[in-house]
mmCIF file of all heavy atoms in Angstrom:
data_model
loop_
_atom_site.group_PDB
_atom_site.id
_atom_site.type_symbol
_atom_site.label_atom_id
_atom_site.label_comp_id
_atom_site.label_asym_id
_atom_site.label_seq_id
_atom_site.Cartn_x
_atom_site.Cartn_y
_atom_site.Cartn_z
ATOM 1 N N ASP A 7 78.159 12.770 88.080
ATOM 2 C CA ASP A 7 77.188 13.319 87.126
ATOM 3 C C ASP A 7 77.013 12.383 85.939
ATOM 4 O O ASP A 7 75.896 12.135 85.489
ATOM 5 C CB ASP A 7 77.677 14.693 86.615
ATOM 6 C CG ASP A 7 77.234 15.807 87.541
ATOM 7 O OD1 ASP A 7 76.520 15.507 88.521
ATOM 8 O OD2 ASP A 7 77.609 16.969 87.292
ATOM 9 N N ARG A 15 69.430 8.115 81.137
ATOM 10 C CA ARG A 15 69.303 7.903 79.682
ATOM 11 C C ARG A 15 68.962 6.446 79.373
ATOM 12 O O ARG A 15 68.136 6.149 78.512
ATOM 13 C CB ARG A 15 70.594 8.288 78.967
ATOM 14 C CG ARG A 15 70.658 9.762 78.696
ATOM 15 C CD ARG A 15 71.858 10.155 77.871
ATOM 16 N NE ARG A 15 72.027 11.605 77.911
ATOM 17 C CZ ARG A 15 73.140 12.227 77.616
ATOM 18 N NH1 ARG A 15 74.213 11.541 77.249
ATOM 19 N NH2 ARG A 15 73.212 13.536 77.663
ATOM 20 N N PRO A 22 55.162 6.618 74.398
ATOM 21 C CA PRO A 22 54.163 5.850 73.652
ATOM 22 C C PRO A 22 53.996 6.398 72.238
ATOM 23 O O PRO A 22 54.129 7.610 72.026
ATOM 24 C CB PRO A 22 52.881 6.022 74.468
ATOM 25 C CG PRO A 22 53.112 7.198 75.332
ATOM 26 C CD PRO A 22 54.574 7.340 75.527
ATOM 27 N N SER A 24 52.447 7.739 68.749
ATOM 28 C CA SER A 24 51.292 8.620 68.520
ATOM 29 C C SER A 24 50.215 7.857 67.763
ATOM 30 O O SER A 24 50.496 6.860 67.100
ATOM 31 C CB SER A 24 51.719 9.854 67.726
ATOM 32 O OG SER A 24 52.170 9.462 66.464
ATOM 33 N N SER A 25 49.014 8.350 67.858
ATOM 34 C CA SER A 25 47.943 7.711 67.095
ATOM 35 C C SER A 25 48.207 7.934 65.608
ATOM 36 O O SER A 25 48.725 8.994 65.229
ATOM 37 C CB SER A 25 46.584 8.261 67.498
ATOM 38 O OG SER A 25 46.511 9.622 67.196
ATOM 39 N N GLU A 29 48.957 13.160 62.587
ATOM 40 C CA GLU A 29 49.487 14.106 61.599
ATOM 41 C C GLU A 29 48.363 14.640 60.704
ATOM 42 O O GLU A 29 48.263 15.851 60.481
ATOM 43 C CB GLU A 29 50.559 13.426 60.744
ATOM 44 C CG GLU A 29 51.193 14.386 59.751
ATOM 45 C CD GLU A 29 52.244 13.718 58.869
ATOM 46 O OE1 GLU A 29 52.698 12.625 59.220
ATOM 47 O OE2 GLU A 29 52.576 14.295 57.830
ATOM 48 N N ARG A 31 45.246 14.734 61.366
ATOM 49 C CA ARG A 31 44.335 15.548 62.184
ATOM 50 C C ARG A 31 44.857 16.986 62.287
ATOM 51 O O ARG A 31 44.113 17.940 62.104
ATOM 52 C CB ARG A 31 44.234 14.921 63.568
ATOM 53 C CG ARG A 31 42.892 15.112 64.230
ATOM 54 C CD ARG A 31 42.745 14.184 65.403
ATOM 55 N NE ARG A 31 43.617 14.555 66.518
ATOM 56 C CZ ARG A 31 43.942 13.720 67.514
ATOM 57 N NH1 ARG A 31 43.507 12.479 67.518
ATOM 58 N NH2 ARG A 31 44.697 14.124 68.501
ATOM 59 N N GLU A 37 44.403 23.258 57.753
ATOM 60 C CA GLU A 37 43.842 23.616 56.438
ATOM 61 C C GLU A 37 42.427 24.165 56.541
ATOM 62 O O GLU A 37 42.074 25.117 55.862
ATOM 63 C CB GLU A 37 43.846 22.394 55.517
ATOM 64 C CG GLU A 37 45.206 22.146 54.902
ATOM 65 C CD GLU A 37 45.312 20.803 54.216
ATOM 66 O OE1 GLU A 37 44.299 20.078 54.172
ATOM 67 O OE2 GLU A 37 46.407 20.464 53.746
ATOM 68 N N ALA A 42 44.034 27.728 55.663
ATOM 69 C CA ALA A 42 45.236 27.482 54.860
ATOM 70 C C ALA A 42 46.460 28.344 55.156
ATOM 71 O O ALA A 42 47.544 27.836 55.238
ATOM 72 C CB ALA A 42 44.933 27.536 53.371
ATOM 73 N N PRO A 44 48.839 30.935 57.407
ATOM 74 C CA PRO A 44 49.018 31.606 58.690
ATOM 75 C C PRO A 44 48.850 33.116 58.577
ATOM 76 O O PRO A 44 48.540 33.779 59.539
ATOM 77 C CB PRO A 44 50.443 31.238 59.109
ATOM 78 C CG PRO A 44 51.087 30.658 57.931
ATOM 79 C CD PRO A 44 50.023 30.230 56.973
ATOM 80 N N ILE A 47 45.527 33.788 59.407
ATOM 81 C CA ILE A 47 45.270 33.729 60.846
ATOM 82 C C ILE A 47 45.542 35.096 61.455
ATOM 83 O O ILE A 47 44.858 35.550 62.335
ATOM 84 C CB ILE A 47 46.196 32.700 61.518
ATOM 85 C CG1 ILE A 47 45.927 31.334 60.934
ATOM 86 C CG2 ILE A 47 45.965 32.667 63.005
ATOM 87 C CD1 ILE A 47 47.062 30.383 61.179
ATOM 88 N N CYS B 29 55.579 27.981 54.628
ATOM 89 C CA CYS B 29 54.421 27.913 55.534
ATOM 90 C C CYS B 29 53.790 29.287 55.716
ATOM 91 O O CYS B 29 52.571 29.422 55.761
ATOM 92 C CB CYS B 29 54.834 27.383 56.910
ATOM 93 S SG CYS B 29 55.210 25.643 56.927
ATOM 94 N N GLN B 30 54.652 30.286 55.816
ATOM 95 C CA GLN B 30 54.146 31.647 56.018
ATOM 96 C C GLN B 30 53.349 32.138 54.811
ATOM 97 O O GLN B 30 52.571 33.074 54.915
ATOM 98 C CB GLN B 30 55.307 32.607 56.323
ATOM 99 C CG GLN B 30 55.842 32.419 57.739
ATOM 100 C CD GLN B 30 57.119 33.180 58.012
ATOM 101 O OE1 GLN B 30 57.883 33.480 57.100
ATOM 102 N NE2 GLN B 30 57.373 33.473 59.282
ATOM 103 N N THR B 34 50.689 24.266 53.487
ATOM 104 C CA THR B 34 50.491 23.304 54.578
ATOM 105 C C THR B 34 51.336 22.040 54.374
ATOM 106 O O THR B 34 51.657 21.353 55.340
ATOM 107 C CB THR B 34 49.013 22.912 54.700
ATOM 108 O OG1 THR B 34 48.541 22.518 53.429
ATOM 109 C CG2 THR B 34 48.187 24.067 55.217
ATOM 110 N N ARG B 42 56.812 16.201 60.590
ATOM 111 C CA ARG B 42 57.474 14.890 60.584
ATOM 112 C C ARG B 42 58.920 14.998 61.092
ATOM 113 O O ARG B 42 59.446 14.100 61.705
ATOM 114 C CB ARG B 42 57.446 14.284 59.182
ATOM 115 C CG ARG B 42 56.074 13.751 58.810
ATOM 116 C CD ARG B 42 56.099 12.981 57.515
ATOM 117 N NE ARG B 42 56.289 13.855 56.361
ATOM 118 C CZ ARG B 42 55.309 14.564 55.804
ATOM 119 N NH1 ARG B 42 54.090 14.514 56.292
ATOM 120 N NH2 ARG B 42 55.541 15.335 54.764
ATOM 121 N N ARG B 49 57.399 15.335 71.051
ATOM 122 C CA ARG B 49 56.616 14.325 71.778
ATOM 123 C C ARG B 49 57.387 13.832 73.001
ATOM 124 O O ARG B 49 56.840 13.674 74.086
ATOM 125 C CB ARG B 49 56.345 13.170 70.816
ATOM 126 C CG ARG B 49 55.317 12.208 71.293
ATOM 127 C CD ARG B 49 54.991 11.175 70.219
ATOM 128 N NE ARG B 49 53.984 10.281 70.730
ATOM 129 C CZ ARG B 49 52.694 10.556 70.737
ATOM 130 N NH1 ARG B 49 52.256 11.691 70.254
ATOM 131 N NH2 ARG B 49 51.829 9.701 71.250
ATOM 132 N N ASP B 62 48.883 12.967 72.770
ATOM 133 C CA ASP B 62 48.517 13.348 71.394
ATOM 134 C C ASP B 62 47.915 14.753 71.352
ATOM 135 O O ASP B 62 48.225 15.549 70.462
ATOM 136 C CB ASP B 62 47.510 12.346 70.809
ATOM 137 C CG ASP B 62 48.202 11.092 70.294
ATOM 138 O OD1 ASP B 62 49.442 11.048 70.341
ATOM 139 O OD2 ASP B 62 47.499 10.162 69.857
ATOM 140 N N GLN B 66 49.444 17.997 69.428
ATOM 141 C CA GLN B 66 48.592 18.764 68.513
ATOM 142 C C GLN B 66 48.563 20.240 68.915
ATOM 143 O O GLN B 66 48.683 21.125 68.064
ATOM 144 C CB GLN B 66 47.176 18.187 68.542
ATOM 145 C CG GLN B 66 46.211 18.925 67.631
ATOM 146 C CD GLN B 66 44.862 18.233 67.544
ATOM 147 O OE1 GLN B 66 44.799 17.037 67.316
ATOM 148 N NE2 GLN B 66 43.801 18.977 67.733
ATOM 149 N N TRP B 73 51.778 26.852 64.214
ATOM 150 C CA TRP B 73 51.196 27.337 62.952
ATOM 151 C C TRP B 73 50.637 28.744 63.117
ATOM 152 O O TRP B 73 50.851 29.624 62.285
ATOM 153 C CB TRP B 73 50.109 26.364 62.491
ATOM 154 C CG TRP B 73 49.337 26.835 61.302
ATOM 155 C CD1 TRP B 73 48.115 27.421 61.294
ATOM 156 C CD2 TRP B 73 49.753 26.780 59.929
ATOM 157 N NE1 TRP B 73 47.736 27.735 60.019
ATOM 158 C CE2 TRP B 73 48.722 27.340 59.162
ATOM 159 C CE3 TRP B 73 50.898 26.301 59.283
ATOM 160 C CZ2 TRP B 73 48.795 27.447 57.768
ATOM 161 C CZ3 TRP B 73 50.966 26.410 57.896
ATOM 162 C CH2 TRP B 73 49.927 26.973 57.158
ATOM 163 N N ASP B 155 69.901 16.670 79.744
ATOM 164 C CA ASP B 155 70.436 15.325 79.978
ATOM 165 C C ASP B 155 69.707 14.244 79.175
ATOM 166 O O ASP B 155 70.333 13.298 78.711
ATOM 167 C CB ASP B 155 70.349 14.985 81.471
ATOM 168 C CG ASP B 155 71.365 15.793 82.281
ATOM 169 O OD1 ASP B 155 72.247 16.424 81.660
ATOM 170 O OD2 ASP B 155 71.268 15.796 83.519
ATOM 171 N N ARG B 187 69.545 12.771 92.031
ATOM 172 C CA ARG B 187 70.428 11.757 92.625
ATOM 173 C C ARG B 187 69.915 11.348 94.013
ATOM 174 O O ARG B 187 69.852 10.177 94.346
ATOM 175 C CB ARG B 187 71.857 12.299 92.712
ATOM 176 C CG ARG B 187 72.870 11.243 93.139
ATOM 177 C CD ARG B 187 74.275 11.787 93.220
ATOM 178 N NE ARG B 187 74.771 12.226 91.919
ATOM 179 C CZ ARG B 187 74.995 13.489 91.579
ATOM 180 N NH1 ARG B 187 74.777 14.462 92.441
ATOM 181 N NH2 ARG B 187 75.451 13.790 90.392
#
Side-chain angles (χ1 to χ4, degrees):
Chain A
D7 273 357
R15 276 186 193 161
S24 63
S25 63
E29 183 181 343
R31 212 165 70 198
E37 280 168 3
I47 299 161
Chain B
C29 288
Q30 286 171 335
T34 51
R42 285 188 289 280
R49 193 174 181 82
D62 279 357
Q66 179 173 311
W73 173 260
D155 289 349
R187 188 180 296 111

